[in-house]
Amino acid sequence: MLTLSAFATNFEYKGINYILDETTNTAKVTYFATSDNTPDETKKYSGEIDIPTKFKYNDVYYRVTSIGEKAFYGCDKIAYINISGLITEIESQAFGNNKMTDLIIPDNVTKIADDAFSGSRINLFFKG
């Protein structure tokens, strides 16, 4: 279930969906959602994905700091993901049931949920 606080906005930028936290000017990568905030099975990430360190929305810069719960869950057509150096957290099932083979985790990532990669066979490589 995707919940939004009073100061959060859903926003798509260059093919990536985010939850924006307007109080901290940070963004979390998330899945594409239906009107009832469940993952939209018809719109999943695919191809090469480059998560930026920041982007501008309504004249405000947002730093991308986390990969949210089930963000890339069940995405079986992702070739590669470049995780920016500002990401510090990877949440529950973020890459669950994913068909990717390799993923490089930047050394800034300090928190990874125990089940972030459940059902996946991703080879993890840590920068550092």
Side-chain angles (χ1 to χ4, degrees):
M1 182 173 171
L2 181 66
T3 57
L4 302 176
S5 72
F7 299 104
T9 301
N10 251 352
F11 174 69
E12 184 179 343
Y13 176 76
K14 293 189 176 183
I16 301 174
N17 201 42
Y18 299 94
I19 298 173
L20 307 180
D21 185 326
E22 297 169 5
T23 59
T24 61
N25 294 344
T26 59
K28 175 190 304 193
V29 177
T30 189
Y31 53 81
F32 293 96
T34 62
S35 59
D36 65 351
N37 285 332
T38 59
D40 185 345
E41 295 298 322
T42 66
K43 189 170 185 184
K44 291 188 176 187
Y45 294 103
S46 63
E48 295 185 3
I49 297 168
D50 189 18
I51 300 172
T53 55
K54 65 181 177 180
F55 58 85
K56 192 174 184 179
Y57 173 71
N58 285 344
D59 293 324
V60 175
Y61 282 99
Y62 288 85
R63 294 172 294 113
V64 183
T65 59
S66 62
I67 298 175
E69 182 177 336
K70 293 187 176 184
F72 299 106
Y73 185 89
C75 295
D76 57 1
K77 295 181 176 148
I78 295 175
Y80 175 79
I81 295 179
N82 179 27
I83 298 176
S84 79
L86 293 181
I87 299 289
T88 59
E89 181 176 8
I90 299 175
E91 295 182 2
S92 178
Q93 297 184 15
F95 294 92
N97 290 339
N98 190 296
K99 303 260 189 227
M100 288 176 42
T101 56
D102 299 320
L103 184 65
I104 299 171
I105 307 291
D107 58 0
N108 298 39
V109 176
T110 57
K111 184 177 179 186
I112 299 175
D114 291 340
D115 64 346
F117 302 95
S118 65
S120 298
R121 293 194 169 127
I122 299 173
N123 296 309
L124 299 177
F125 300 91
F126 293 87
K127 281 185 187 178

